[in-house]
Amino acid sequence: MKKIYLAVVAILLSQMVYPQGSVTGTLADADTKKPLYLSTVTVYNAADTSIITYRLSDKAANFKIPGLPLHTALRALITFSGYEV
């Protein structure tokens, strides 16, 4: 029981020491207002353009990106390849 208690305390302390942010949103076409499902949302570190994480939007074009570092300059790139030529 002590090991479980210590593990829970360690997890809670790590969350306080390394705070994290998240970004949520809904993606839609600016002209047609149709949802852009299965779009890729990629988050980069602005300083060196290294990829931090990426997610796909769901069928309702909603996305959530948890676990982003706070006090760090970030850039997001959203791509969608569902249009026909």
Side-chain angles (χ1 to χ4, degrees):
M1 188 66 178
K2 282 187 178 183
K3 289 182 182 181
I4 293 174
Y5 177 73
L6 289 175
V8 170
V9 169
I11 290 171
L12 291 175
L13 285 176
S14 70
Q15 293 297 320
M16 291 181 350
V17 171
Y18 184 70
Q20 298 177 350
S22 66
V23 175
T24 59
T26 302
L27 304 172
D29 185 291
D31 294 330
T32 64
K33 308 297 186 221
K34 290 184 180 180
L36 299 176
Y37 61 93
L38 293 180
S39 296
T40 304
V41 181
T42 308
V43 178
Y44 296 92
N45 185 335
D48 61 3
T49 66
S50 60
I51 295 176
I52 293 177
T53 188
Y54 67 94
R55 296 287 191 271
L56 292 175
S57 61
D58 60 14
K59 290 207 176 213
N62 298 315
F63 70 92
K64 181 177 182 179
I65 304 175
L68 297 175
L70 297 177
H71 311 296
T72 302
L74 303 174
R75 289 186 177 197
L77 176 66
I78 301 168
T79 56
F80 178 71
S81 60
Y83 289 113
E84 296 180 12
V85 177

